[in-house]
Amino acid sequence: LVIFGLGGGLLLFAHDLPTLLAVRFVQGIVFGALLSVTVGIIGSVVPSGPAAHRGQSRRIVAMAASEALFPVAGGFLLALAWYAPFGLQLFTLPLAVVAWFVLPDIRNSKSAKGADVPAESVWKAPAIVGVQILAAARFIFKFSVLTYTPVLAVDQVGMSAA
């Protein structure tokens, strides 16, 4: 979260394309890791049962809400400057501080029987692997379509870029 937030702050001041691409590349790697880590944290804190389902459901609802709200907020910020939407990423910095103090340390977590639970155990559950594959496919499809369709509309169909 800290790396993601600091990257957004950097992009408020560094406006050249190489910096933009490098920072967004790093942010993409960090965001991909964060998606998996959130599933693992919820699974470590509440491994099964209704509470685990509620935790994963809340994570999905939060992601869906942010996918709906942040583009709208970013659109309004574009009226100020093309780089202004990156300022929204600064909100992850206080969230990182809260997470540091609130979330349990799961590096040395124990199962209900007291045995060590390696971090890789989350990937041994076929449902988790399936969910991650579907999530990755959704992101690839959604962002490639959202990125390429406007270019195709301008280049091939003759629509206006404005």
Side-chain angles (χ1 to χ4, degrees), residues 2-138:
V2 171
I3 293 170
F4 195 81
L6 291 176
L10 176 64
L11 292 176
L12 286 173
F13 303 104
H15 303 149
D16 60 292
L17 185 60
T19 303
L20 173 72
L21 293 176
V23 170
R24 294 299 287 167
F25 178 79
V26 171
Q27 283 182 318
I29 292 169
V30 170
F31 185 72
L34 282 174
L35 290 178
S36 297
V37 167
T38 58
V39 172
I41 289 172
I42 293 169
S44 293
V45 174
V46 201
S48 62
H53 298 222
R54 277 192 306 276
Q56 295 296 349
S57 297
R58 288 177 180 158
R59 179 186 69 83
I60 291 168
V61 168
M63 287 177 57
S66 66
E67 287 178 2
L69 297 175
F70 284 131
V72 173
F76 284 117
L77 289 171
L78 278 173
L80 301 174
W82 70 266
Y83 51 85
F86 294 119
L88 289 173
Q89 296 168 3
L90 291 171
F91 286 111
T92 62
L93 295 174
L95 184 61
V97 171
V98 170
W100 181 265
F101 291 106
V102 172
L103 292 176
D105 184 0
I106 61 169
R107 290 176 289 185
N108 299 316
S109 64
K110 302 276 186 188
S111 70
K113 297 178 183 176
D116 285 338
V117 178
E120 305 87 34
S121 65
V122 72
W123 294 108
K124 293 180 182 173
I128 296 294
V129 174
V131 166
Q132 292 300 321
I133 290 171
L134 288 174
R138 179 179 71 100

